[in-house]
Amino acid sequence: MDLSTRLKHIIVDVPDFPKPGILFKDITPIFDDPKTCALITQHIVETFPDIDAIAGIESRGFFWGMLVAQVLEIPFIPIRKAGKLPRPTLSQSYALEYGTATLEIHQDTIQPGTNVLIHDDLLATGGTAFAAAQLVNQVGHCVGFSFLVELAFLEGRQRLEEFTIPVDAIAIY
């Protein structure tokens, strides 16, 4: 069974979470399967072998972002919601359906010219990933996006096309 099919068998659909009408893709059952965790890590490493750092979007982007950083022996950069990092930060605000949100990284975490892969668990509308790339590009170069799951009907991949860099998702719904 290929990795995409494997993930689709493991990920659990949770209806009406976090609010009515939403079908939530729960990736936490993957953690019960060390082999699948290793295959995900291997997939990302093989898809993006020539990166200088990997940035994981809070919080589920931290899981495989950190594992890939360990395997490739490169820095891991946490991208966090505003106010969560203790030292001086760079920030990028972006529009939500109702209001705005802000992402931050430490000012000194990316050296100029660093090639950075952005990783998160899920690509939906692409707004958060788009803002993360803008944030990374303030100092370094976003060279790709990696996701476990893509909700293709929300057209997030199209939103990221502006960056003209690879977008990889393992399980596409």
Side-chain angles (χ1 to χ4, degrees):
M1 162 181 340
D2 73 351
L3 184 55
S4 174
T5 303
R6 189 178 188 124
L7 285 183
K8 288 179 178 181
H9 279 94
I10 297 171
I11 293 170
V12 175
D13 287 345
V14 181
D16 298 320
F17 182 83
K19 62 184 183 179
I22 301 291
L23 182 62
F24 185 82
K25 300 290 186 189
D26 182 8
I27 67 163
T28 60
I30 299 169
F31 304 147
D32 295 333
D33 185 345
K35 176 67 175 172
T36 299
C37 289
L39 289 171
I40 291 167
T41 304
Q42 179 183 356
H43 172 86
I44 298 168
V45 166
E46 289 175 357
T47 304
F48 297 98
D50 298 318
I51 55 175
D52 301 321
I54 185 165
I57 299 174
E58 183 175 352
S59 66
R60 291 178 298 225
F62 293 0
F63 300 131
W64 279 275
M66 189 63 191
L67 290 171
V68 169
Q70 293 282 305
V71 169
L72 292 175
E73 297 180 353
I74 58 174
F76 173 75
I77 302 161
I79 297 178
R80 306 233 29 216
K81 295 172 186 160
K84 301 281 187 167
L85 294 170
R87 300 189 323 269
T89 61
L90 298 172
S91 63
Q92 181 67 48
S93 294
Y94 61 104
L96 298 170
E97 187 175 350
Y98 298 103
T100 61
T102 302
L103 297 176
E104 295 181 334
I105 57 173
H106 281 123
Q107 281 182 356
D108 60 356
T109 196
I110 300 176
Q111 299 306 310
T114 301
N115 291 321
V116 180
L117 172 66
I118 293 176
H119 175 74
D120 204 1
D121 69 319
L122 182 100
L123 173 59
T125 64
T128 303
F130 191 94
Q134 290 178 309
L135 180 60
V136 165
N137 285 340
Q138 288 183 36
V139 180
H141 302 288
C142 178
V143 296
F145 297 97
S146 168
F147 303 96
L148 297 183
V149 174
E150 177 181 355
L151 303 178
F153 65 93
L154 293 174
E155 300 182 350
R157 184 178 294 259
Q158 289 80 351
R159 175 109 188 255
L160 301 178
E161 286 177 353
E162 179 178 319
F163 294 103
T164 62
I165 57 178
V167 177
D168 181 67
I170 299 171
I172 300 173
Y173 292 87

